[in-house]
């Protein structure tokens, strides 16, 4: 029995020494097998030796071996935890990496671009208005100086709901409503959805965004229109951008103009440029002095007041600003596209 106890003590010391030399999971596993392996582990061998003891010695000897077994198991377990923690931490959490940022979503690129436009006009003292997308023939056409059956209506490929109700083809009806409610001075812009009967292609959609602006006051001249739009375009694009005004026609303005910017892609240097088709210019805005008849329609005296108005497509202009080749990208909601646009 004395020998047996000494043997146990020796095994314990050997185990402690072996455990002290353990430096990784692998060597820990070797030590574990050496002591706890069911077939040939040291503990197995000690248990086997019980049969050589006297019957009265067996219970105590059995207890001693079991104590050693628990001791070994506990020690192995605590070393195992020691290795498990740092290895896992290194694998799964590299504390030197920058934190992972959650994608919280972002405003749609059209919304962002609309806000950029709004901010420029807000800084010039304009107010933002909105109104219905389903309109009457009167507000969409007649008040804007399109008589019934006038051929100019054909230019606004209209989606009708009934003979009298339609989806607005521009946001001008909101300006008519504003002028009915409010006397000059008026400085407003109206961004919003408009609808036209178009088959989708890279530059046309049956629904798109437009912004129109209107200023009515005493002594408003074409110079105010020009200065305002120049400031707007230089802020939206860049300060040195070239701008030109071309004579045009709209039923609701007289005189009327179309406003071009230099091609932001080729600056007029590439005869085969796909964006400006070699002309060097991109049409961005329609504009003009509010026709006196339109002012009369809303009971504003054209002898006392004058005004200018303008309109532009938000989608179309965003395509030039960001060089997006197809308008449909805005509406496909492909996150790989959408996520490229974030708040400045
Ligand atoms: C375009 C550009 C334009 C207007 C819109 C307007 C509104 C009122 C009175 C007079 Cl209430 N004009 N808006 C003026 C000029 C151009 O839109 O390219 N449209 C087809």
């Amino acid at each position: 029995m004395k020998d047996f106890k000494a043997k146990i003590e020796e095994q314990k010391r050997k185990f402690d020494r072996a455990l002290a030399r353990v430096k990784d999971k692998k060597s820990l596993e070797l030590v574990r097998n050496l002591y706890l392996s069911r077939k040939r582990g040291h503990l197995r061998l000690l248990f086997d030796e019980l049969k050589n003891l006297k019957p009265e010695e067996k219970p105590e000897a059995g207890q001693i071996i079991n104590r050693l077994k628990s001791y070994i198991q506990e020690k192995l377990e605590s070393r195992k935890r020691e290795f498990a923690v740092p290895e896992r931490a290194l694998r799964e959490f590299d504390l030197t990496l920058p934190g992972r940022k959650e994608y919280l979503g972002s405003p749609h690129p059209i919304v962002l671009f609309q806000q950029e436009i709004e901010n420029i006009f807000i800084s010039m003292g304009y107010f933002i208005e909105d109104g219905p997308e389903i309109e009457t023939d009167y507000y969409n056409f007649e008040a804007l100086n399109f008589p019934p059956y006038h051929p100019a209506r054909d230019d606004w490929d209209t989606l009708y709901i009934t003979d009298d109700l339609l989806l607005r083809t521009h946001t001008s009806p909101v300006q008519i409503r504003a002028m009915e409610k409010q006397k000059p001075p008026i400085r407003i812009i109206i961004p919003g959805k408009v609808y036209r009967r178009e088959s989708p292609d890279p530059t046309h959609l049956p629904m798109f965004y437009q912004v129109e602006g209107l200023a009515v006051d005493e002594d408003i001249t074409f110079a105010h229109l020009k200065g305002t739009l120049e400031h707007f375009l230089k802020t939206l694009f860049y300060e040195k951008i070239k701008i030109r005004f071309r004579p045009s026609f709209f039923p609701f303005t007289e005189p009327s103009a179309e406003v071009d910017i230099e091609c932001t892609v080729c600056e007029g240097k590439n005869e085969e440029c796909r964006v400006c088709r070699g002309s060097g210019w991109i049409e961005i805005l329609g504009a003009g002095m509010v026709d006196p008849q339109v002012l009369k329609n809303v009971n504003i005296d054209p002898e006392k007041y004058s005004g200018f108005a303008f309109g532009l497509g938000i989608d179309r202009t965003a395509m030039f600003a960001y060089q997006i080749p197809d308008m449909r990208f805005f509406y496909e909601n492909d996150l790989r596209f959408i996520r490229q646009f974030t708040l400045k």
Side-chain angles (χ1 to χ4, degrees), residues 127-290:
F127 291 90
I128 295 163
E129 300 248 0
D130 63 11
E133 288 172 23
I134 295 174
E135 270 295 1
T136 59
D137 183 273
Y138 178 78
Y139 283 106
N140 198 78
F141 287 124
E142 229 179 306
L144 287 155
N145 211 24
F146 293 81
Y149 306 109
H150 193 278
R153 288 186 175 213
D154 293 351
D155 297 340
W156 278 260
D157 308 290
T158 310
L159 290 159
Y160 282 89
I161 294 167
T162 65
D163 282 351
D164 190 47
L165 280 181
L166 49 82
L167 293 174
R168 69 181 183 191
T169 59
H170 38 204
T171 59
S172 330
V174 187
Q175 284 155 297
I176 297 294
R177 291 172 183 280
M179 287 191 286
E180 282 177 344
K181 280 195 301 251
Q182 179 193 337
K183 294 300 125 192
I186 294 170
R187 278 174 186 74
I188 53 173
I189 63 163
I190 296 97
K193 288 180 189 144
V194 299
Y195 301 84
R196 300 212 183 150
R197 210 193 68 210
E198 304 268 15
S199 299
D201 73 26
T203 53
H204 296 89
L205 286 174
M207 189 284 288
F208 55 99
Y209 283 79
Q210 198 205 19
V211 60
E212 283 204 17
L214 174 74
V216 183
D217 205 342
E218 286 178 37
D219 302 320
I220 294 264
T221 69
F222 200 91
H224 295 119
L225 168 64
K226 227 180 150 209
T228 303
L229 293 184
E230 269 181 17
H231 173 74
F232 165 62
L233 291 172
K234 283 169 186 288
T235 313
L236 189 65
F237 288 90
Y238 44 91
E239 180 59 34
K240 295 226 152 28
I241 199 160
K242 289 201 187 95
I243 297 165
R244 75 175 184 186
F245 284 68
R246 275 181 295 116
S248 185
F249 171 81
F250 299 111
F252 32 79
T253 47
E254 182 59 34
S256 304
E258 272 164 316
V259 187
D260 300 339
I261 55 169
E262 71 183 331
C263 179
T264 49
V265 172
C266 79
E267 294 171 325
K269 288 173 193 140
N270 178 4
E271 279 179 25
E272 276 153 44
C273 178
R274 279 186 301 142
V275 175
C276 65
R277 281 182 241 99
S279 76
W281 296 97
I282 301 168
E283 184 194 320
I284 289 290
L285 284 147
M289 301 307 292
V290 179

Side-chain angles (χ1 to χ4, degrees), residues 14-32:
K14 277 190 178 167
F15 168 77
D16 285 339
R17 258 180 278 138
L19 194 66
R21 281 196 300 273
V22 159
K23 56 188 185 314
D24 54 24
K25 262 182 157 172
K26 217 169 164 186
S27 47
L28 183 73
E29 195 57 26
L30 290 173
V31 174
R32 208 195 81 88

